[in-house]
Amino acid sequence: MLSNIQKQIKKATRNSNINSNLLKVLSKPENEIKINFPVKINGSMEIFSGYRVQHNNYLGPFKGGLRYHPSVSLDEVNALSQWMTYKCALQDIPFGGAKGGIKIDTNNYKEQDIEKITRGFTKALYPYIGSNKDIPAPDVNTNSKIMDWMTDEYNNISGNFNLTSNMRSVFTGKSIDFGGSYVREEATGRGVALIIREWSLKNNYNLKGKNYIVQGFGNVGYYTCELLNSYGMNLIAVGDHSGYIQSNEGFNIFNLKDYVDKNKTINGYKHGKKINKETFFKIDCDIIIPCAIELQITKDNASSINCDLIVEAANGPIDYDAEQILENNNIKIIPDILANSGGVLVSYYEWLQNKRDEYWSEKYIRDRFDEKICETFIKIYNLSIKNKCSLRDASYNYALEKLQNNFIRKFSF
Ligand code: GLU
């Protein structure tokens, strides 16, 4: 995955004046932290491996999610932390980039075990994080409950009697009662859908009646579908870790969500026919939205993809070679660092509210969010027209230029 980023950046900057020393600095993260920590599960000790990679903090404290997944490795979080640096720069928020997680299959543990593991991980992370240092958030298989446990544990360790505003602002993506923010839960999916709408307006592309398919029906997948369906679009295939289902007349996303809330998977849902991953990516549709994990569209399946637009709600779902094939086939791409930056944008609002001991209304946040997401899309879209380049190239160039201005200040001697 790291080589994917290096290739993307090399292509994006081939005609720009981004300082090669900056690119050299950004090719490596500032800190790579690996922690093996013990937790007693059912009376016996298990050792878990947790990671935090702090990529860059020129623009502000390190910021990014923590994921719980069997594929978590230093290499993976390394790449993901780099994307966080660009995501924050793109949204003009004063944060740097980080990412972390635990290598774990959460399906094998009960909720009370997950709480213990989370608290153990927080203890191990304690010296490295802080509200002006590094601010974790939810990511794949982590949620507000996990952020609340982390906040509570962090507060216990720090010896504070009360949960002060300074403590609350160490983690974002918390539940509302614990100092979380309205709109944070839906933010990533909402941002994805709003960006699709802005793209459609710029391209005279009527979304009403268009068919789309989604890989991943968790938090990001569901909220994306909710807004897209309100635009009159039709979800005709969906997949998760258990498999894929297709329905030509379209799924009722609310019934599907109820089913997934109860069963934790789409497996066994009574509508649609079962298909495999290969068939899923061959479906003739208008928009494909990968909302799961990395490297799902590769040179092996890219040529059979049949759509107008792919929106990277997940991080890094398209590999570099696949992208060249898709571009040749005139399939447009909205890149991850632009498409899914809504999550960290509301994390920033949450952090600001915690720091200032303020509680903003849902309407205020939603209006502010919608305006900023659309403004960011239009700024990148216009740059791509001006530079005659892809949205990915324009996104990287915007972010890198911003980092460059800080880099020059730092290294002007
Ligand atoms: N995990 C999300 C992301 O990758 C959100 C990060 C955050 O809110 O800090 O963008």
Side-chain angles (χ1 to χ4, degrees), residues 63-65 84 87 99 135 137-139 172 184 315 340 343-344 347:
K63 182 84 191 86
M84 283 309 302
K87 240 185 256 186
K99 197 71 142 212
I135 307 136
D139 200 81
T172 60
R184 177 62 188 85
N315 292 306
N340 70 33
V344 74
S347 273

